Amino acid sequence: MNLKLGTRLTIYYVTAIAVVLVGFSIALYLLASKHLNRQAYERLEAALNTLSAAAEIEPDGVTWEPEERSLTFGRRTLEGPLVWRVADERGTRIDGSSTDEPDRKLSRLGVDEGADRRFATFADDSGATWLAMSRRLGRPPTAAAEAPLASPEEGRHEALILSVASSMEGVRSNLRNLALTLAGLSLAVWTVCLTTGRRLCRAALQPLTDMAAAAGAIEGDEPGRRLPIPAADDELAELGRTFNALLDRLGESLERQQRFTGDASHQLRTPLTSVQGQVDLALRQDRSPEEYRRVLTLVQSRTRHLRQIVEGLMFLSRADAEARRPALEEVAIDDWLKAHLDAWPGRGRVEVVHDEEPSSTPCLVHVHGPLLGELLNNLLDNAAKYGPPGSPIQVRLSRRDATVAISVSDEGPGIEPAEIARLFEPFYRTESARLKGAPGVGLGLSVAARIAAVFGGRITVENAAGRGATFTVHLPISERPTSEIVRPEPDSVPAR
């Protein structure tokens, strides 16, 4: 059975309250029982002390003369009535509070069970429980048997057996009332907690319910709607802000995807329209072989352009999980860069600069060789495309802390500062590139940025308007023994 969160919280809450109430009631009942029983024992002890004080203990016996003293056993307490009895060593009653049934029970306590029994309990004919205590005054039984009184006098005895008893019905009645009171109060408190706890849980979770309802009401064509945020700055408000931030990121991603789709459609439509127009024009009437060759050459050029666009789109449209796990390997970046530049078609324009002297220990990076070659080719092609014809392209290799940097600099017109933030967006081209009519569709830097992210790196841009731009690839350095380094083979370097 699936219970709602509010119901589960209420159950946990009232269960905890019930455990606390039951534990408190049991502890209070036990403490009260211990206190009342201790009071009963102390009352009997005080009564025996009073009776002992009324007797005169002498070397040759014990004298009982209650007429000369006033026996006061204190005020009546909730334990119930108290009875007492004084008997001689043979159990014959000498004095007592009454001759009713408790007195008879006391007589059996003193004679049958022995006066040395300190505490005892018995029940009368009505079933009431009594707590009794006895004490012997005088000579021990053995001494009395060996040397009886030489001249017994009236009121003088070998020993006296003092017995007192108190009814425990008052204690039991008070404990019973206490138990009923605790049970009633606990039930009442538990009921109030159940009612208020359910309402409090509903009120506390109402913002969560509102957010769930709002989330369920958001349609796919409503990217601007957000969840309501509770007024209280608590965990639920933080949850709402977090979800809204997620929706913001998803909205931005959706917007980029829509813009990407629109740009891709436009970029694909233009060469397709051109190809279709040339083919339709060529088929309207018979043409010369030279004219067909011209049309086919144009179609071939447009087809290659379409292929570049499609390949770039396929790479950029891959999920991050797919693009992040190519077969990476550790390579010595110095050797790899030299081999790659040697195979690049425009090698004569490239100037390689090292910020520091070559080290005997190679600098290792964890990359996929062909993808890294595609990244560097895009940067080199951009430098060759936007720089003056024949101008040098400077490639700089430097090591900065835990990263290695490959910089590509040109001597072109540079990039406007306002355009730098959008350079890596798919299909984005700068104003100068459009005015110049430079070939390209605006996918090269987007692909390069994605490849750098796959390797755990990034690309930065440094611009000097009118004096060229510098694109720098930052890659994390990996340390491994020299014997495990993968050296690039000449045929593994991608050719343009």
Side-chain angles (χ1 to χ4, degrees):
M1 181 174 61
N2 295 326
L3 298 177
K4 291 186 176 181
L5 178 59
T7 303
R8 294 201 302 270
L9 290 177
T10 303
I11 292 175
Y12 298 153
Y13 170 68
V14 297
T15 300
I17 291 296
V19 171
V20 171
L21 290 174
V22 170
F24 173 77
S25 299
I26 292 176
L28 184 59
Y29 180 86
L30 293 177
L31 289 174
S33 176
K34 181 178 180 181
H35 175 71
L36 293 177
N37 282 284
R38 185 173 66 250
Q39 280 189 333
Y41 294 145
E42 291 175 353
R43 184 188 184 199
L44 293 181
E45 184 73 29
L48 281 179
N49 291 337
T50 301
L51 294 176
S52 299
E56 292 185 2
I57 303 176
E58 300 176 356
D60 55 350
V62 183
T63 302
W64 177 256
E65 295 179 349
E67 295 83 0
E68 300 180 0
R69 297 175 177 83
S70 175
L71 298 179
T72 303
F73 298 100
R75 61 183 177 85
R76 180 182 179 87
T77 59
L78 55 82
E79 290 86 356
L82 183 143
V83 297
W84 57 276
R85 183 174 187 273
V86 180
D88 59 14
E89 67 277 3
R90 292 182 296 276
T92 303
R93 183 179 186 277
I94 300 175
D95 199 356
S97 58
S98 65
T99 57
D100 54 7
E101 182 185 358
D103 186 84
R104 295 193 300 272
K105 295 287 186 178
L106 284 176
S107 67
R108 287 196 294 272
L109 174 67
V111 176
D112 300 336
E113 299 188 16
D116 57 343
R117 182 179 178 85
R118 189 168 183 78
F119 293 103
T121 57
F122 61 88
D124 57 18
D125 294 339
S126 64
T129 301
W130 292 73
L131 177 66
M133 181 183 294
S134 61
R135 181 183 298 172
R136 179 188 179 92
L137 297 178
R139 296 190 297 170
T142 54
E146 294 174 359
L149 290 176
S151 55
E153 299 179 3
E154 183 178 358
R156 178 170 295 184
H157 308 275
E158 293 281 352
L160 293 177
I161 300 176
L162 310 179
S163 303
V164 293
S166 175
S167 175
M168 299 299 290
E169 289 306 304
V171 173
R172 293 191 172 185
S173 175
N174 282 277
L175 290 176
R176 186 163 51 249
N177 292 336
L178 177 62
L180 293 175
T181 301
L182 290 175
L185 288 175
S186 298
L187 182 60
V189 171
W190 186 84
T191 303
V192 172
C193 290
L194 174 62
T195 304
T196 58
R198 180 60 176 170
R199 293 181 179 177
L200 289 175
C201 285
R202 286 180 177 176
L205 295 177
Q206 187 59 42
L208 188 60
T209 303
D210 296 340
M211 285 190 289
I218 296 177
E219 301 293 340
D221 57 351
E222 298 176 317
R225 292 188 58 179
R226 296 293 181 264
L227 304 184
I229 304 298
D233 190 12
D234 54 9
E235 289 80 359
L236 292 181
E238 181 65 23
L239 176 64
R241 287 192 292 267
T242 303
F243 268 103
N244 283 342
L246 173 61
L247 292 176
D248 290 338
R249 294 193 296 272
L250 291 177
E252 294 174 359
S253 177
L254 178 60
E255 182 181 355
R256 288 195 302 269
Q257 184 179 6
Q258 291 174 344
R259 187 170 62 248
F260 177 85
T261 304
D263 293 340
S265 300
H266 174 74
Q267 294 293 334
L268 291 173
R269 187 182 300 114
T270 300
L272 284 175
T273 302
S274 176
V275 169
Q276 184 178 1
Q278 292 293 330
V279 172
D280 290 344
L281 182 62
L283 292 177
R284 285 182 182 178
Q285 58 184 4
D286 293 337
R287 306 285 181 177
S288 63
E290 290 76 12
E291 183 67 17
Y292 284 125
R293 188 176 294 106
R294 184 190 67 79
V295 172
L296 289 177
T297 301
L298 181 61
V299 170
Q300 183 185 42
S301 174
R302 298 297 184 184
T303 304
R304 289 176 178 172
H305 185 55
L306 279 173
R307 180 180 178 182
Q308 291 178 356
I309 295 176
V310 171
E311 288 179 350
L313 291 175
M314 290 180 61
F315 182 82
L316 292 176
S317 63
R318 291 175 190 166
D320 289 341
E322 297 175 359
R324 194 172 292 153
R325 299 306 305 165
L328 303 183
E329 60 184 9
E330 287 182 331
V331 300
I333 193 63
D334 305 73
D335 297 340
W336 181 92
L337 182 61
K338 181 178 183 302
H340 183 84
L341 293 178
D342 288 341
W344 190 62
R347 176 68 181 89
R349 297 178 58 182
V350 176
E351 298 178 358
V352 181
V353 178
H354 292 270
D355 280 357
E356 55 187 23
E357 293 296 328
S359 174
S360 58
T361 303
C363 183
L364 306 179
V365 291
H366 205 200
V367 296
H368 181 267
L371 283 181
L372 181 59
E374 182 67 20
L375 184 158
L376 187 57
N377 285 340
N378 285 335
L379 299 183
L380 292 171
D381 288 342
N382 271 358
K385 186 188 307 180
Y386 296 108
S391 61
I393 300 173
Q394 187 179 83
V395 178
R396 182 182 300 273
L397 181 65
S398 59
R399 181 169 180 170
R400 305 173 183 175
D401 297 330
T403 62
V404 62
I406 304 175
S407 301
V408 179
S409 303
D410 60 57
E411 296 183 357
I415 305 169
E416 294 297 330
E419 296 179 321
I420 291 179
R422 300 190 59 189
L423 280 179
F424 299 101
E425 293 182 7
F427 300 110
Y428 179 77
R429 303 189 71 193
T430 63
E431 184 68 21
S432 60
R434 291 194 297 269
L435 293 176
K436 185 179 179 181
V441 294
L443 288 176
L445 291 179
S446 299
V447 172
R450 172 63 68 88
I451 294 175
V454 169
F455 301 152
R458 58 192 176 90
I459 299 179
T460 59
V461 183
E462 295 178 4
N463 178 51
R467 297 194 305 272
T470 300
F471 290 82
T472 304
V473 183
H474 304 268
L475 299 174
I477 294 176
S478 175
E479 299 292 342
R480 285 181 61 181
T482 305
S483 58
E484 300 182 20
I485 299 174
V486 177
R487 301 286 181 177
E489 298 294 336
D491 57 356
S492 69
V493 180
R496 296 289 292 179

